[in-house]
Amino acid sequence: MIITIKKGITHLMRKLLSSILVFSILIFAIAGCTPEKSPEPASTISIKHAMGTTNVPTAPKRIVVLTSEGTEALLALGIKPVGAVQPYNGNPWYDHTKDKLQGVKLLGDESAPNLEAIASLKPDLIIGNKMRQEKVYAQLSAIAPTVFSEELRGDWSQNFQLYAKAINKEAEGKNVLDAYNKHVEQTKQALGDLVNKKVSVVRFMPGQTRIYQLDSFTGVIFKQLGFQRPANQNKNEFAIQVAREQIPEMDADILFYFTYDKPTDKGGSKLEQEFTNDPLWKALNVVQQKHAFKVDDVVWNTAGGILAANTMLDQLTDMIKNMK
């Protein structure tokens, strides 16, 4: 009888210990499933931008950037983002930035950023652009404080200054722009009287051919350098679309042209061949003088940032400084 009672007590104790163990495991499992909340920043600054005003951390550590020119701005300021969108025709990055972007997570492209991938990085600041991502601004803002620039054309330095302010590096941003402006002056000196020439800018792309005007990436840089522009390009607008019969409108003292293709649409190259083989193109004074230069579309147009601008200045100098 005593043995039976002892066995009963032992069995009861085992069941009790087993229940306690299961309950403990359950508590730990539940605790482990609770989402980890990102710590609140110690302090913030208020940034006015294209979508309103946003409070951002004074010292962001995990920055996501959703435009190519925004990525270049961060790199120029000594910041490596944790994630960035793949630039148009990047592989996955452009040649002039790829060495600085090793290990950075790809987040879709500018027109369709991957929101799930962005959230997984737990960013403390997102930098984007209204022209590209206005439709998902609310969703991005739910992930982290989000700052948008307005446009992606013309004076890229305005966006650069906004990004520098957003990451609380205005002084460093001023130094970067000062160095760029010095580069512009050095380029002007290297080119001498060539900057008094009239410059024409043409782009071939799937479905259309454009003549670029002052409110474009190259337009702003050429104006800084002091170049003149033909009357149809000397306007504070972006570009005009032209057909082959309008080729004579491309003439100038110097012509730069670049070609954009999509991975599945080589329509830009097709138009380039059609235009440059046209008798009207061959009759252009600038072509007959051998002053028409094909240049890199990425550097001279698509990238659109501070690093591309400096690269363009170097390429320009190498290309035409000895032009007769």
Side-chain angles (χ1 to χ4, degrees):
M1 185 70 177
I2 295 173
I3 294 172
T4 303
I5 293 172
K6 284 184 177 180
K7 284 183 177 180
I9 293 172
T10 302
H11 180 68
L12 181 63
M13 289 180 67
R14 284 176 178 171
K15 287 185 69 177
L16 181 61
L17 288 172
S18 177
S19 297
I20 292 171
L21 179 61
V22 170
F23 182 73
S24 299
I25 292 171
L26 182 61
I27 291 295
F28 281 119
I30 293 171
C33 291
T34 303
E36 183 181 347
K37 187 177 180 180
S38 299
E40 293 294 327
S43 61
T44 62
I45 53 175
S46 181
I47 301 297
K48 187 176 180 180
H49 57 102
M51 302 300 292
T53 301
T54 301
N55 292 326
V56 306
T58 54
K61 302 296 183 185
R62 299 183 60 78
I63 304 174
V64 159
V65 60
L66 305 180
T67 64
S68 174
E69 49 90 46
T71 300
E72 291 196 15
L74 293 185
L75 294 176
L77 291 165
I79 300 294
K80 188 175 185 178
V82 294
V85 290
Q86 181 170 343
Y88 292 109
N89 287 353
N91 189 30
W93 313 113
Y94 291 145
D95 287 344
H96 68 283
T97 59
K98 64 182 181 182
D99 291 343
K100 299 180 178 68
L101 290 171
Q102 293 182 11
V104 174
K105 185 170 182 177
L106 285 169
L107 301 172
D109 60 43
E110 288 190 16
S111 298
N114 186 325
L115 299 177
E116 184 178 351
I118 292 170
S120 73
L121 291 176
K122 299 186 184 298
D124 50 15
L125 175 63
I126 299 171
I127 292 175
N129 178 268
K130 183 178 179 180
M131 191 174 176
R132 288 283 189 265
Q133 299 109 19
E134 182 176 10
K135 291 181 179 179
V136 293
Y137 176 76
Q139 294 154 284
L140 292 168
S141 295
I143 297 171
T146 302
V147 171
F148 271 12
S149 53
E150 184 76 33
E151 293 186 338
L152 285 172
R153 57 181 54 164
D155 190 359
W156 55 267
S157 68
Q158 292 181 7
N159 288 359
F160 179 88
Q161 291 175 76
L162 172 64
Y163 305 149
K165 187 174 183 179
I167 64 173
N168 203 20
K169 287 187 175 291
E170 286 185 273
E172 292 88 340
K174 183 179 183 303
N175 290 338
V176 171
L177 288 180
D178 286 346
Y180 167 75
N181 290 328
K182 183 178 180 180
H183 193 182
V184 169
E185 291 303 314
Q186 291 171 338
T187 302
K188 287 175 70 172
Q189 292 178 16
L191 296 178
D193 291 339
L194 286 174
V195 297
N196 297 317
K197 301 286 187 180
K198 286 185 179 180
V199 169
S200 183
V201 182
V202 174
R203 189 190 198 201
F204 303 107
M205 53 195 301
Q208 61 178 287
T209 298
R210 294 174 177 172
I211 297 176
Y212 279 82
Q213 298 166 302
L214 299 179
D215 190 22
S216 61
F217 182 71
T218 50
V220 169
I221 295 175
F222 282 137
K223 187 174 181 179
Q224 287 178 308
L225 289 166
F227 278 104
Q228 304 301 304
R229 304 297 297 274
N232 65 341
Q233 298 178 42
N234 195 34
K235 298 179 181 179
N236 290 313
E237 297 174 12
F238 178 60
I240 52 176
Q241 188 172 333
V242 295
R244 281 168 60 180
E245 58 266 24
Q246 294 170 282
I247 287 175
E249 297 179 28
M250 300 175 178
D251 214 354
D253 299 316
I254 309 171
L255 186 150
F256 297 101
Y257 65 98
F258 35 89
T259 300
Y260 174 81
D261 284 320
K262 297 178 181 179
T264 57
D265 185 352
K266 305 302 180 184
S269 293
K270 183 174 182 292
L271 278 177
E272 178 195 333
Q273 291 299 315
E274 290 176 1
F275 272 70
T276 57
N277 286 319
D278 192 291
L280 289 174
W281 175 277
K282 294 178 180 179
L284 290 174
N285 180 67
V286 68
V287 172
Q288 295 198 349
Q289 294 295 319
K290 298 184 179 179
H291 292 166
F293 301 92
K294 182 175 181 178
V295 294
D296 185 349
D297 179 84
V298 166
V299 171
W300 287 61
N301 188 79
T302 306
I306 175 69
L307 303 182
N310 277 304
T311 303
M312 176 185 157
L313 291 176
D314 290 335
Q315 292 182 354
L316 175 66
T317 304
D318 290 342
M319 196 175 303
I320 71 169
K321 66 181 179 182
N322 297 320
M323 191 180 77
K324 295 179 181 179

